[in-house]
């Protein structure tokens, strides 16, 4: 268990300078449960297993009216602010639904142009304002480093509250990585644990934050081979490569996606994120279809493999593939609601109660 360090005992400059691993002890509670959720590096294997088990219990409990009644009473005294100043459908709605499942009353800001920021208020002051009325902030922002700054700032007020990173710039998306792990685990559970698999990531790996978080979590599972297939100028960041090398992970970086298909156990497709481009057309100096999955490609993919995508998709998966049993991206999306419920319940210390209810009523 990580020994907790306190954010009100370290300056912003010193905290900001720490490595991601060194930041992890500042994000947990004294009992080892997560408090803030900021980076993939703060989770360990035991916590991932705990969250996946809890997600499954919540999923099963939620099937009945009595179960839903039990769940929605757990946190009915809490309120959450969903502060999403960058477009989102799935992450927003699954967090919203997770709050509803646990009885938390959610509120939202999605458009800063109708808040006091239009009167010249800083983003920091806006978030501090939300902290006065709510018990948790779930935040998506295009600004890299902003969630981290708010985690430190709000921990240094007289009313600290947990902040969950729901996607920060081109950097990290830790809760997407949790639902991806849950999806992989469920996909392969028939033959035991998530181990000895070849995971292929494809698409815009330079700006896609989901892969950056997931590749780290996969290092906790035995003998997972990771392949990163992207156009040369959109390849995975050097920091990820260095991290995988430091963890002795077997990985490959390639521009030839199609050659990876026959040996892939899971293909994780991503879209080209050209909204980050400074010059129009910056992303399009390659053949888009070289990094897409077609119905023809499916003949090469083993029948036990799965195809994932954080969504939204563009051209990179032919919709005709949706009905193939290997396409799990719609299930993956729904898994987000269960894992996020499990995470929030754990942050607020209701995990053991859920497990107890499950053992008494559904085991
Ligand atoms: C992703 C994101 O926002 O990082 N979507 C998501 O959260 N499911 C991926 C993307 O936008 O392409």
């Amino acid at each position: 268990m990580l020994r907790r360090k306190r954010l009100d005992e370290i300056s912003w400059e010193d905290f900001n300078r720490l490595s991601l691993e060194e930041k992890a002890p500042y994000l947990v509670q004294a009992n080892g449960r997560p408090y803030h959720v900021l980076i993939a590096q703060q989770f360990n294997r035991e916590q991932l297993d705990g969250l996946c088990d809890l997600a499954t219990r919540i999923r099963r409990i939620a099937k009945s009216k009595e179960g839903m009644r039990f769940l929605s009473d757990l946190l009915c005294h809490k309120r959450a602010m969903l502060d999403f100043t960058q477009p989102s459908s799935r992450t927003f709605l699954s967090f919203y639904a997770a709050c509803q499942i646990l009885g938390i009353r959610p509120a939202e800001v999605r458009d800063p142009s109708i808040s006091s920021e239009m009167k010249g208020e800083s983003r920091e002051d806006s978030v501090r304002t939300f902290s006065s009325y709510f018990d948790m902030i779930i935040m998506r922002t295009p600004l890299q480093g902003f969630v981290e700054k708010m985690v430190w700032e709000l921990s240094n007020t007289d009313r600290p509250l947990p902040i969950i990173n729901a996607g920060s710039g081109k950097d990290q998306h830790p809760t997407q990585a949790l639902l991806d792990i849950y999806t992989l685990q469920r996909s392969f559970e028939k033959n035991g644990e998530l181990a000895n698999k070849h995971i292929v990531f494809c698409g815009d790996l330079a700006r896609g934050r989901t892969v950056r978080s997931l590749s780290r979590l996969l290092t906790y599972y035995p003998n997972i081979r990771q392949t990163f297939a992207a156009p040369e100028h959109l390849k995975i960041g050097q920091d990820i490569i260095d991290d995988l090398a430091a963890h002795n992970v077997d990985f490959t970086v390639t521009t030839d996606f199609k050659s990876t298909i026959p040996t892939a156990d899971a293909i994780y497709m991503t879209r080209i994120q050209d909204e980050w481009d400074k010059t129009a057309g910056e992303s399009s100096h390659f053949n888009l279809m070289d990094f897409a999955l077609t119905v023809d490609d499916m003949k090469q993919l083993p029948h036990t493999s799965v195809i994932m995508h954080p969504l939204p998709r563009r051209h990179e998966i032919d919709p005709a593939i949706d009905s193939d049993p290997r396409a799990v991206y719609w299930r993956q999306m729904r898994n987000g609601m269960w894992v996020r419920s499990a995470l929030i319940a754990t942050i607020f210390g209701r995990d053991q109660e859920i497990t107890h209810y499950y053992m008494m009523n559904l085991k």
Side-chain angles (χ1 to χ4, degrees):
M1 188 172 101
L2 273 183
R3 228 174 70 84
R4 181 191 178 213
K5 294 187 179 172
R6 298 184 58 101
L7 277 165
D8 56 0
E9 289 173 357
I10 184 169
S11 70
W12 163 244
E13 290 71 26
D14 287 345
F15 177 63
N16 188 230
R17 224 176 283 129
L18 298 177
S19 69
L20 296 174
E21 281 75 16
E22 289 168 332
K23 283 175 184 161
Y26 290 91
L27 306 170
V28 297
Q29 311 178 31
N31 57 21
R33 288 186 176 89
Y35 184 69
H36 300 296
V37 177
L38 186 61
I39 46 179
Q41 282 74 4
Q42 73 182 84
F43 292 100
N44 57 35
R45 175 66 196 268
E46 195 188 335
Q47 283 174 322
L48 295 182
D49 289 349
L51 285 169
C52 289
D53 286 348
L54 192 63
T56 296
R57 288 173 191 148
I58 294 175
R59 180 162 57 83
R60 294 190 179 145
I61 293 172
K63 284 188 200 302
S64 74
K65 191 170 175 182
E66 309 83 75
M68 268 311 294
R69 210 174 265 142
F70 159 76
L71 290 169
S72 62
D73 192 49
L74 287 173
L75 292 168
C76 62
H77 56 307
K78 299 285 182 194
R79 293 178 300 279
M81 165 53 87
L82 282 84
D83 176 25
F84 275 57
T85 54
Q86 194 189 21
S88 175
S89 304
R90 281 147 283 266
T91 307
F92 177 83
L93 287 173
S94 62
F95 266 119
Y96 200 96
C99 286
Q100 289 178 326
I101 289 169
L102 298 168
I104 300 179
R105 272 160 293 177
E108 62 185 82
V109 166
R110 304 200 70 179
D111 179 3
S113 74
I114 54 163
S115 79
S116 283
E117 279 176 52
M118 280 315 275
K119 301 181 188 167
E121 182 167 70
S122 67
R123 272 274 52 226
E124 280 88 343
D125 281 3
S126 293
V127 176
R128 175 114 195 227
T129 304
F130 307 152
S131 76
S132 323
Y133 306 128
F134 296 93
D135 303 295
M136 161 176 268
I137 299 179
I138 302 164
M139 191 187 293
R140 166 169 290 198
T141 162
L143 306 170
Q144 191 159 330
F146 184 71
V147 183
E148 179 174 323
K149 185 73 200 296
M150 292 319 301
V151 158
W152 183 86
E153 262 190 36
L154 292 185
S155 300
N156 280 279
T157 65
D158 53 11
R159 196 172 179 279
L161 77 175
I163 300 187
I164 301 185
N165 176 3
S168 55
K170 291 176 247 178
D171 184 28
Q172 285 242 4
H173 197 346
T175 64
Q176 176 73 40
L178 294 177
L179 75 93
D180 293 340
I181 285 289
Y182 185 47
T183 305
L184 283 165
Q185 226 183 60
R186 287 187 71 191
S187 300
F188 298 123
E189 70 194 349
K190 273 186 258 74
N191 13 347
E193 63 163 357
L194 175 54
N196 313 315
K197 297 284 183 246
H198 179 205
I199 317 287
V200 174
F201 296 105
C202 171
D204 188 341
L205 306 184
R207 299 170 295 197
R209 52 198 173 194
T210 64
V211 172
R212 293 175 53 80
S213 293
L214 177 56
S215 69
R216 171 56 189 245
L217 293 191
L218 283 171
T219 64
Y220 303 144
Y221 295 82
N223 199 21
I224 298 285
R225 183 149 71 93
Q226 303 192 33
T227 294
F228 299 90
E232 187 57 36
H233 65 298
L234 297 177
K235 72 174 187 212
I236 191 80
Q238 191 59 41
D239 57 334
I240 302 290
I241 291 178
D242 292 344
D243 190 54
L244 293 176
H247 283 88
N248 291 320
V249 173
D250 178 5
F251 71 94
T252 313
V253 176
T254 177
T255 52
D256 183 4
F257 166 56
K258 301 284 177 171
S259 72
T260 70
I261 298 174
T263 61
D265 292 301
I267 297 184
Y268 192 100
M269 299 300 291
T270 66
R271 74 185 170 91
I272 303 301
Q273 302 207 354
D274 50 15
E275 71 268 30
W276 301 105
D277 284 0
K278 291 186 189 67
T279 353
E282 218 172 84
S283 294
S284 55
H285 305 303
F286 62 96
N287 182 0
L288 282 174
M289 292 318 285
D290 288 347
F291 299 92
L293 208 51
T294 63
V295 173
D296 227 30
D297 291 331
M298 293 300 283
K299 295 183 196 133
Q300 304 286 318
L301 185 70
H303 67 275
T304 50
S305 303
V306 295
I307 305 159
M308 295 170 64
H309 195 311
L311 302 173
R313 78 167 146 197
R314 290 183 182 167
H315 64 279
E316 63 277 356
I317 299 179
D318 185 335
I321 294 174
D322 290 8
S323 53
D324 189 297
R326 292 167 290 182
V328 299
Y329 31 91
W330 299 108
R331 198 176 328 143
Q332 176 188 358
M333 184 175 90
R334 191 167 158 82
N335 283 339
M337 180 171 76
W338 306 123
V339 166
R340 288 172 172 132
S341 303
L343 180 66
I344 295 173
T346 305
I347 291 172
F348 286 118
R350 308 318 284 256
D351 41 328
Q352 285 173 356
E353 237 166 295
I354 296 172
T355 298
H356 180 75
Y357 181 95
Y358 181 80
M359 295 302 175
M360 298 306 285
N361 296 284
L362 283 116
K363 198 72 183 136

